[in-house]
Structure formats: structure tokens, C-alpha cells
Amino acid sequence: MKPDAETYDYVVVGSGFGGAVSALRLAEKGWRVAVVEQGRRIGPQEITRAKQRVWHLLWLPQVGLRGYFAQHVFRHLVALGGVGVGGGSLVWGAVMLEPKQAFYDDPALADLGIDWREELAPYFTVAKGMLGVRGNPRQTEQDRLLRATARRMGVEETFASVPNAIFFGDGQAACDDVGITDPYFDGHGPHRAACRFCGGCLTGCEFGSKNSLDYNYLYLAQQHGAVIMAGRRAGRIVPLPTGGYTVTLTSGRGRVAQTLATRNLVLSAGVVGTIELLLRNRDHYRTLPAISPTLGRLVRTNSEAITAVMHPPGSDMSDGTAISTDFHPDPHTHATQNRFDRGYRFMRMYMGPLVDDARPAVRSLKTLLAIVSNPRLLLTNLFAREWEKRLTVFTVMQDVENHLSLKLKTAWWSFFRPVLTSASAAGKSPPSYLPVANRVAREFAKECGGTPMNTLVESLLGKSTTAHILSGCPMGEHPGISVIDTRHEVHGYRGFTWWMGRAFRPMWVLIPVSPSRQWRSVSPTCNRQTTVTKRR
């Protein structure tokens, strides 16, 4: 190991779902674990400020904004995510859905020779216990309208409450001024507060009711000795001749802050962050030249579209969790309703008229004409009082084939430094228009007397919007067709693991490796024993 570097058994890059699970299970075995997170620690006070002022919410370090809600804007796509200790869980809608059979039947998994349904089943149970998943117990006016919309579309039988990773209280009384004694981990976790149904999950829960990772996996990992290095960004990764790696960390201003040496390295910096980090080390720093050329070639989304309805004045749709019910307009489509709180007021600038057309250029022109001919909609939307209470947003997702690629490119707008860019796949790019999404908005608007809307990012700019960016790192037998093997280890780099939390749509949990491989078991409580094969 490098003598002047801090030395760990495992360095985990990223504190989202994959990184948090890895950190806890490794720390439980007594390994020395460091978790590197480029964002800050986000507590109730930071969340309260973010809901009041958008510059406290947004992550855009290029202009000095260091909140915890990130928007990665590419030519063909806008990908939403979280930055901070807890990663995407900070801005997550707390919805936990297991995959359908089609997920397991996909050749990309089925051809690997592993029964993934049997492989993953026990870990779904563990994840649900760790994240406190239960059915949403409450339906209010917005949910009633969504049910009526499903009825209008002839699929009312598919309407249901969603499972939420939220502490609903269940009648427990507060033990003292700081809340309720930990209800999940035999008192070893932090005190909690019952959900107030304020609709604010997507900009963070300032009351401590949403089961974000700082209340479970990361909290317990720290109790077992894991060190969380907030405000540090991983950069150059160098393999050591004797085994292991060094990882250079930079501070918020881009200056080298420290160097870590580790026997094993886990990358869980989200799809965008991990792909960018690996591409930089393969193509720019050239310290990891053996990484497969398939890296970043197939990046997927949920094939989703975002629509909305502005309710009449005086309406209040904010009563409930951010996402409480859903339905299926057809076998390949999933629609959820979303509540916003005041922290999302910046989104009013994104809303425009509802326009149909599968041709992006034509739809963009139609949108401009609709705005010019009837500017009242934009003005009403921009200046409406209690805008967030009057808004219902729909995320309409499809399990259909789509992909694009991400790669490093030197561009003039980055002062000729390499930046991550997108490239489309002819006929396979993520859609910016779904007819069924517009129909959901129209039918809902008819039911409530509101005004249906598209987001201008999709209708005017022709970009797909997603909070569920996936893949980019295929799994397979050799580097000619994949980046990692079935143990999630990067081909050609022993002890180097890609460990992502977003395994499928839209439940965010870690895909574990089977008991016969690297990780032998995981347990829902902090005092249960697990076994991990230490990789040297």
C-alpha cells in the first residue's frame, strides 16, 4: 500500500442505495470501510431551507449551488438525482416496487445461467425490512381523482396504493421531545417521527419520516465504524503493483484533498457518476486501460414522460405522501401521481401546453404556436398562488426497449475539457413523447376541471426526462461483451466492484451476489451476523 495514504480494506464511492448497503455489510464484518460522497450531510435544517429557497436545493457546483437535487442535462436526456450523504434517497419518492416476471425473462439476465428470481427473493425481504416498506395507508382527493381516471380509461381494477418506505407511526407515542424510539432495529437506530402527509418527500423529509438511507444503512454502518467522507469527490484511480488501489479525492473547489489506499474498491456513484469516473480513468487518466469498451454504450431509462394537471383555484392536492397510488393504463405502462411541495416551485417554469405529435421538431413548433396563440396558460402557471397545492404531476413509464450511450467528449462549451455527453441510438432513444401520458393528463383534467400540461423540456426541447437512469455497465463472461462479471467485479481488476442500487424499475435496492459467491448473507438488523469473503 502507498505509505503516505490513508489505508482501508474497502473504499466505497457513493452513499446512495448501492454504496450504503455495501458500507453496512462490510462494516458489520469488521473491515475498515470509507464511504466517499461528493455532497454534504443533509439534515432537517438543510431540507427546510431548500424548501424555502431553490438555491439551497439545487446541485450545480459550477455556479456555486451545492444543494442536494441534481439535474444532469445531456443533449437527449435530463436525468434527475440526489447528491449528499444518502444519495438519491434524499429526493426519492419512497416507492418500492418489485420487478415483474419480464425482468427475469430478459435475455440479458436469463442467459447468465443464474436463476435471478430465486437469487434475489430473500434480499427483497431484507431490503423491505431495512427500509420499512409497507402499503400506503391513506388515500385523499388526488388519489380519488386518479382512480376515476383509471375508470375513465377502462382499467380501474389496476388502481392500487403503492408500497412506501415511510414511517407512518402506527399509533406509537413519542418517547420524548426528539420523537419515537427507533421502530426498526431493536432501538439501535435513530429516533423517528411519524409521517405528516405533507406531500414533500421529493425535496426531502424535514421531519425524519421518510426512510432515507441516513436513517438506516448509513446510520448503522457508522455505528460499526464506517467513515463517511462528505464533500469529497473521487478522481484518479490507480492500481497498485502489490494489489489494491489508490483513490485521489478532491474538495469542493477541485483541489486535491487527500489520497486513500484500499485493498478493494466499490463504485456506487450513480449511473452518471460511475460511468463518468470510469471513462475518465480509462480514457483521460489512462490508469484503468483494460476496462471494457462496452462501458456506457447501453444506458437505459424507464421510457417515461412527465405530464401534469393544474387544478382550479382553491384546490389543495398536497394531503398525502409524494406518491401514494398508481395504475396501469396498459400491460406495458405504469402511471403514478406525484405531489409537490413549495420546494418544487422552480418547476413552474418547466410547464407548458399539452401538445401531441410523435415528431420532435413538429411538436416543438406546435408548442411554440400554442404558447404564442394562448399565453394565458403560461402566465397563469407562473403566477398562480399556492401553485404546488394546485398541481398533480404524472410519471408515466413503460417497460419497452430503449437506450442511448454516454461518452467523454472534448467540447468548446467546456473550454475543451472532456465532459460526459449523450449519443442517441436511431429508433431506440428514450422517448420525449408518449401518447398514453398525454391521455392520462387529459382524462384526469376532465375529472377535476383542471388544465393538462406537458413539460417544456419534453415538448419544446425534445429531451426525455427520467429519474430512473439505468445500466451502462453490462454483465457477462468476458470484457468483449461486458464490463463486470456475475460477482459485479470489473473484468481485469481484482477487488474492483460496480455495485449499483438501481437494479430495476422503480425499486431501488442493491442486487446482491448469491451465497455461493462473494456476499453470503444480509440481515435486516444491525446485530445480526453476516459473512463476506474478503478479497485480497
Side-chain angles (χ1 to χ4, degrees):
M1 288 293 162
K2 192 173 180 180
D4 60 341
E6 296 180 53
T7 302
Y8 293 88
D9 294 309
Y10 287 84
V11 167
V12 179
V13 179
S15 64
F17 287 92
V21 176
S22 300
L24 173 59
R25 300 313 177 195
L26 293 166
E28 283 182 322
K29 294 307 301 173
W31 305 137
R32 192 175 183 212
V33 179
V35 180
V36 177
E37 169 57 55
Q38 66 173 329
R40 301 177 293 130
R41 291 183 180 271
I42 304 298
Q45 292 181 343
E46 287 78 15
I47 294 173
T48 299
R49 284 198 297 268
K51 292 177 185 292
Q52 296 169 346
R53 297 288 185 271
V54 68
W55 50 85
H56 293 305
L57 173 68
L58 298 181
W59 170 264
L60 196 61
Q62 299 91 328
V63 295
L65 300 182
R66 296 190 174 276
Y68 53 92
F69 178 72
Q71 299 178 85
H72 304 285
V73 180
F74 300 104
R75 179 181 177 185
H76 308 92
L77 179 75
V78 177
L80 311 178
V83 179
V85 176
S89 74
L90 297 171
V91 294
W92 156 61
V95 177
M96 303 294 281
L97 299 176
E98 293 190 31
K100 297 183 289 187
Q101 183 59 41
F103 169 78
Y104 301 104
D105 294 338
D106 190 293
L109 287 181
D111 293 349
L112 293 172
I114 297 172
D115 185 342
W116 289 103
R117 175 174 285 280
E118 180 181 354
E119 184 92 355
L120 294 176
Y123 301 103
F124 284 123
T125 301
V126 170
K128 288 178 181 178
M130 288 292 300
L131 295 170
V133 179
R134 56 160 295 185
N136 190 296
R138 186 171 184 170
Q139 292 186 13
T140 58
E141 178 64 10
Q142 190 185 76
D143 305 295
R144 184 194 68 77
L145 291 169
L146 192 70
R147 179 190 284 274
T149 301
R151 185 185 308 121
R152 295 177 71 100
M153 298 180 71
V155 290
E156 184 180 4
E157 72 281 359
T158 69
F159 173 86
S161 292
V162 300
N164 279 157
I166 293 172
F167 177 55
F168 291 110
D170 300 322
Q172 296 185 49
C175 65
D176 52 37
D177 292 338
V178 296
I180 298 169
T181 301
D182 163 51
Y184 297 115
F185 310 111
D186 299 328
H188 294 284
H191 285 59
R192 307 303 303 278
C195 179
R196 302 188 184 191
F197 298 97
C198 66
C201 310
L202 294 173
T203 47
C205 182
E206 59 192 311
F207 308 110
S209 307
K210 186 174 74 171
N211 293 327
S212 52
L213 296 167
D214 46 331
Y215 287 101
N216 40 72
Y217 284 104
L218 291 173
Y219 183 92
L220 300 177
Q222 289 181 277
Q223 304 306 305
H224 283 80
V227 177
I228 297 180
M229 300 180 177
R232 294 289 184 265
R233 182 182 176 91
R236 189 186 297 264
I237 299 170
V238 180
L240 295 171
T242 56
Y245 304 87
T246 60
V247 184
T248 300
L249 307 184
T250 57
S251 65
R253 297 182 178 180
R255 298 175 180 174
V256 174
Q258 62 195 113
T259 300
L260 306 181
T262 180
R263 298 184 182 277
N264 304 275
L265 182 60
V266 180
L267 291 192
S268 295
V271 170
V272 173
T274 302
I275 289 176
E276 181 177 8
L277 182 58
L278 289 176
L279 285 172
R280 287 191 183 280
N281 279 277
R282 187 190 69 184
D283 302 337
H284 182 59
Y285 301 136
R286 300 185 185 279
T287 56
L288 301 173
I291 289 177
S292 169
T294 62
L295 174 65
R297 286 187 182 175
L298 293 176
V299 177
R300 304 179 186 276
T301 74
N302 277 1
S303 297
E304 60 215 90
I306 310 298
T307 57
V309 168
M310 174 62 72
H311 294 259
S315 302
D316 186 353
M317 298 293 114
S318 63
D319 184 8
T321 61
I323 304 173
S324 52
T325 52
D326 64 357
F327 75 99
H328 294 267
D330 60 58
H332 296 286
T333 306
H334 179 219
T336 66
Q337 44 67 276
N338 298 258
R339 295 179 177 89
F340 285 173
D341 68 358
R342 64 175 298 162
Y344 254 90
R345 284 188 175 183
F346 71 94
M347 281 289 292
R348 68 170 71 203
M349 295 183 292
Y350 289 34
M351 298 298 177
L354 195 76
V355 177
D356 292 293
D357 204 294
R359 297 164 295 180
V362 175
R363 190 180 182 209
S364 178
L365 180 60
K366 287 182 176 180
T367 300
L368 283 173
L369 291 174
I371 292 171
V372 172
S373 62
N374 183 20
R376 182 179 178 182
L377 171 62
L378 258 64
L379 293 174
T380 300
N381 181 65
L382 285 172
F383 298 105
R385 291 186 176 182
E386 296 189 317
W387 174 85
E388 65 280 1
K389 292 184 178 181
R390 292 177 53 191
L391 194 73
T392 292
V393 177
F394 308 99
T395 306
V396 182
M397 302 163 280
Q398 294 190 323
D399 55 357
V400 296
E401 180 68 19
N402 79 77
H403 67 266
L404 48 73
S405 61
L406 295 178
K407 58 184 179 180
L408 282 182
K409 181 180 179 180
T410 301
W412 62 267
W413 65 83
S414 64
F415 301 99
F416 299 100
R417 292 178 296 182
V419 294
L420 198 63
T421 60
S422 67
S424 65
K428 293 290 186 179
S429 293
S432 60
Y433 168 67
L434 292 178
V436 66
N438 278 15
R439 186 186 173 197
V440 167
R442 284 195 176 95
E443 297 296 339
F444 190 97
K446 290 176 184 176
E447 193 66 32
C448 71
T451 303
M453 296 183 291
N454 284 133
T455 64
L456 294 174
V457 170
E458 295 177 354
S459 63
L460 188 61
L461 302 182
K463 296 179 187 287
S464 178
T465 304
T466 184
H468 311 99
I469 189 167
L470 312 162
S471 191
C473 184
M475 180 186 291
E477 296 179 353
H478 58 82
I481 60 171
S482 61
V483 177
I484 59 175
D485 60 24
T486 55
R487 298 181 303 178
H488 291 217
E489 194 169 66
V490 177
H491 292 298
Y493 294 98
R494 188 169 178 80
F496 192 163
T497 310
W498 170 298
W499 213 241
M500 296 303 298
R502 294 185 180 185
F504 39 78
R505 177 181 74 86
M507 182 173 178
W508 298 3
V509 300
L510 179 72
I511 285 189
V513 178
S514 76
S516 62
R517 296 180 180 83
Q518 185 180 356
W519 289 54
R520 294 198 61 83
S521 66
V522 290
S523 60
T525 57
C526 64
N527 55 359
R528 293 273 300 279
Q529 291 297 310
T530 60
T531 302
V532 180
T533 301
K534 192 171 185 178
R535 304 194 65 84
R536 292 293 187 182

